[in-house]
Amino acid sequence: MNKDFLWGGAVAAHQVEGAWDLEGKGISIADVMTAGSKDKAREITDGVIDGEYYPNHEGIDFYHYYKEDIKMFAEMGFKCLRTSIAWTRIFPNGDESEPNEAGLKFYDNLFDELLKYDIEPVITLSHFEMPYHLVKEYGGWRNRKLIDFFVHFSATVMRRYKDKVKYWLTFNEINNQRILDNPIYAWTNSGILYKDDDNKLEVMYQATHYQFVAGALVVKKAKEINPAFQVGCVLAATPNYPLTSDPNDILLAQQEDDNQLFFTDVQVRGHYSKKVWKSWENSGYSIDVTEEDLMCLSEGTVDFIGMTYYLSNTVSTRPEAKRLNDKLLGSEVLVENPMAETTEWGWTIDPKGLRYYLNLLANRYELPIFIVENGFGYADQFEDGSIHDKERMEYLTEHIKQMQLAIEEDGADVMGYTVWGCIDPISFTTGEMRKRYGFLYVDRDNNGNGSLKRYKKDSFYWYQELIANNGLVMKD
Ligand code: BG6
């Protein structure tokens, strides 16, 4: 492994910081999401309603604990930490011209604390937390005006932290919104709640087009502010396997992959494919795309690809296939993969899928790849101050092994690897605390009870050793 490889962890502001209304912060779209579970969808309420429980309001109070937490990340040997800037700390409503100094100061302090330990900040500009006001007033990313608001926010923070942050990511898992049947995805990606008469796919293409343009403008601005900046996109990378060799299954899997890779195609290549133009034409969509937009896309392509990896999907047209009908994973074409186990939350455990996808991205785009999330959501057992999270260590070991094979055997150019939820965060899809990911256990439960005290899990020491060895010591 390259000696500069960026080992570390990842979190997102709204899932850990808490302090949802402190020091001038505005309400974000995450602040109106209630708690759910695998079987109970999170609700999106019309504003913050008294009596409802919103787990992101307190998160794990990283806002006040960050010094103590970062000290423990440093103890593990982190080379980087991926987190996001909450847009609403900087621009509470999103459409102001002047930023909130208290919000800017918070991230100054946070980044200084990381740099004190030589931990490189890797910063996501939009991780499911746009200002709620932009939804109410403008309709979220349905509206072209969002481009200006987002670019203004991004330029403000990139200027402010130009000597502290080098790695930037634009939109987290921008392709999640392709899952049309679960409202949580359009909401968290784009601040959109579909109306009855919406053609969902058309609305989705329009919103993502505006995001592509905004992302490209951010890349261009980044280079003006500091030519050394590296800007990436983020793809939720989920291989789609055909269940059988029936050519219909093969074509379906290819179609599902194309639907996903559409997002990186535009951000990496700087233009829409012929297939996309054709499908818009065939469907009669009228997407607002200008010549200037197209120029901008071609001028603002990303420097690297951020990918998150948790699971693979299997698809089939065959009547005998066992349909998953999982509202969180989406799409009625998904079927059970008889070859793979799943987590309690129904996510397929498939380490080799990571190697498969690294190869796919590396060959398709020939750009560096940053694995900005990989992790194991598990209901850890707390036993007198100890947490023996053997399953997590096994999951991570197998995935890291496959990543190393992709690098060392297949020649994939991978810059870094950050374990998702390196300190237990609030789950994004369910709002639970019980679905834990961290090397650090946080004493808090699904209802918001607990001391917030942090405890080192067994995996803390395992990851510490792994980083010290610059990766897994691979045995034959
Ligand atoms: C990714 C997101 O989708 O997966 C994170 O970028 C999220 O925000 C992570 O937390 C794991 O999902 P969940 O629902 O288990 O928290």
Side-chain angles (χ1 to χ4, degrees):
M1 300 287 289
N2 183 319
K3 67 174 177 29
D4 300 323
F5 191 81
L6 291 164
W7 294 103
V11 289
H14 70 107
Q15 289 171 269
V16 293
E17 283 177 8
W20 72 287
D21 59 352
L22 289 193
E23 300 195 87
K25 182 181 171 297
I27 299 177
S28 86
I29 55 173
D31 292 325
V32 298
M33 290 173 73
T34 64
S37 68
K38 168 148 175 39
D39 307 308
K40 182 174 171 279
R42 299 184 76 174
E43 272 173 50
I44 299 160
T45 58
D46 189 9
V48 174
I49 297 180
D50 274 353
E52 288 284 0
Y53 174 55
Y54 300 100
N56 299 67
H57 283 193
E58 282 88 36
I60 55 160
D61 201 15
F62 183 68
Y63 193 78
H64 294 108
Y65 280 78
Y66 72 90
K67 287 194 179 163
E68 169 178 327
D69 295 340
I70 289 172
K71 188 160 181 259
M72 289 191 280
F73 298 156
E75 209 182 314
M76 273 187 277
F78 278 22
K79 310 281 182 223
C80 71
L81 179 76
R82 174 185 177 222
T83 187
S84 58
I85 294 179
W87 188 345
T88 48
R89 286 202 195 286
I90 313 302
F91 292 101
N93 284 329
D95 56 359
E96 300 91 340
S97 51
E98 292 307 313
N100 170 31
E101 179 56 28
L104 288 169
K105 192 78 195 110
F106 169 70
Y107 291 105
D108 264 320
N109 295 341
L110 179 69
F111 300 154
D112 287 346
E113 196 66 18
L114 290 169
L115 296 171
K116 182 169 121 189
Y117 297 103
D118 287 329
I119 299 177
E120 188 88 53
V122 177
I123 300 305
T124 317
L125 291 161
S126 177
H127 194 133
F128 306 163
E129 54 208 328
M130 61 184 285
Y132 185 62
H133 173 78
L134 295 183
V135 172
K136 293 305 267 184
E137 193 62 30
Y138 302 90
W141 281 95
R142 289 174 191 266
N143 193 325
R144 184 178 269 279
K145 288 199 175 115
L146 268 279
I147 299 176
D148 287 344
F149 299 141
F150 182 70
V151 174
H152 181 50
F153 156 67
S154 302
T156 303
V157 295
M158 288 192 300
R159 256 185 236 114
R160 173 81 169 215
Y161 309 120
K162 80 177 182 9
D163 300 319
K164 299 184 183 184
V165 177
K166 175 177 171 198
Y167 297 100
W168 299 92
L169 296 157
T170 52
F171 297 94
N172 185 55
E173 296 187 335
I174 189 168
N175 57 308
N176 280 356
Q177 55 200 319
R178 187 65 182 72
I179 302 175
L180 299 172
D181 292 336
N182 187 328
I184 193 181
Y185 295 113
W187 179 252
T188 50
N189 275 136
S190 292
I192 288 175
L193 284 178
Y194 289 120
K195 302 177 198 136
D196 289 345
D197 58 349
D198 274 336
N199 180 318
K200 290 184 184 174
L201 200 51
E202 186 174 17
V203 173
M204 194 245 21
Y205 277 124
Q206 185 63 76
T208 49
H209 173 69
Y210 293 147
Q211 289 174 345
F212 290 148
V213 174
L217 287 167
V218 166
V219 172
K220 286 177 29 160
K221 273 261 181 278
K223 304 293 165 178
E224 284 164 30
I225 295 169
N226 183 348
F229 277 175
Q230 293 287 297
V231 187
C233 53
V234 186
L235 180 78
T238 312
N240 289 286
Y241 300 142
L243 181 70
T244 70
S245 56
D246 177 341
N248 289 315
D249 280 5
I250 308 288
L251 278 170
L252 178 61
Q254 185 184 51
Q255 184 59 47
E256 290 291 305
D257 268 350
D258 281 352
N259 287 344
Q260 184 171 143
L261 292 162
F262 152 75
F263 294 86
T264 27
D265 283 352
V266 180
Q267 294 172 97
V268 173
R269 296 173 172 158
H271 58 84
Y272 288 104
S273 68
K274 286 193 178 142
K275 184 173 178 184
V276 171
W277 288 114
K278 195 73 198 161
S279 77
W280 289 356
E281 184 190 320
N282 290 345
S283 308
Y285 293 164
S286 105
I287 312 287
D288 166 31
V289 178
T290 67
E291 283 303 318
E292 203 186 335
D293 291 348
L294 295 177
M295 178 63 80
C296 179
L297 293 183
S298 70
E299 290 170 355
T301 56
V302 292
D303 300 307
F304 67 93
I305 300 165
M307 72 176 268
T308 69
Y309 182 81
Y310 292 89
L311 69 155
S312 59
N313 281 336
T314 300
V315 298
S316 185
T317 55
R318 308 281 306 168
E320 70 273 18
K322 215 165 154 205
R323 313 260 133 218
L324 285 182
N325 292 323
D326 187 312
K327 279 275 176 219
L328 281 175
L329 298 175
S331 168
E332 69 253 9
V333 297
L334 300 189
V335 299
E336 205 174 277
N337 179 350
M339 308 295 287
E341 284 177 45
T342 62
T343 69
E344 185 190 330
W345 281 265
W347 292 18
T348 308
I349 302 173
D350 179 17
K352 288 193 177 140
L354 176 59
R355 181 175 183 183
Y356 166 81
Y357 219 90
L358 282 170
N359 271 277
L360 187 152
L361 291 180
N363 294 333
R364 191 174 177 117
Y365 301 122
E366 299 184 329
L367 271 190
I369 301 167
F370 197 151
I371 301 173
V372 294
E373 283 180 37
N374 176 228
F376 187 60
Y378 190 71
D380 292 318
Q381 294 307 310
F382 183 84
E383 296 162 26
D384 290 335
S386 300
I387 304 95
H388 305 299
D389 53 342
K390 182 166 77 62
E391 294 80 358
R392 176 165 301 104
M393 292 184 277
E394 280 169 9
Y395 176 99
L396 294 175
T397 300
E398 291 310 312
H399 283 77
I400 292 171
K401 201 183 275 173
Q402 294 303 320
M403 172 185 74
Q404 287 188 204
L405 287 170
I407 297 170
E408 284 156 24
E409 304 269 321
D410 311 331
D413 182 2
V414 184
M415 305 156 59
Y417 172 89
T418 55
V419 173
W420 171 254
C422 48
I423 178 164
D424 291 344
I426 303 293
S427 157
F428 146 58
T429 48
T430 67
E432 289 168 290
M433 201 55 221
R434 192 178 156 268
K435 190 182 187 189
R436 296 175 182 274
Y437 282 90
F439 300 120
L440 291 162
Y441 182 96
V442 179
D443 177 23
R444 189 169 176 86
D445 69 15
N446 277 356
N447 304 314
N449 303 311
S451 64
L452 288 172
K453 192 165 179 251
R454 278 71 164 141
Y455 296 85
K456 293 171 184 167
K457 303 183 192 176
D458 288 356
S459 59
F460 178 99
Y461 302 100
W462 166 85
Y463 199 47
Q464 184 180 52
E465 192 182 333
L466 182 136
I467 297 179
N469 287 325
N470 194 22
L472 284 173
V473 180
M474 303 270 260
K475 299 188 194 83
D476 292 331

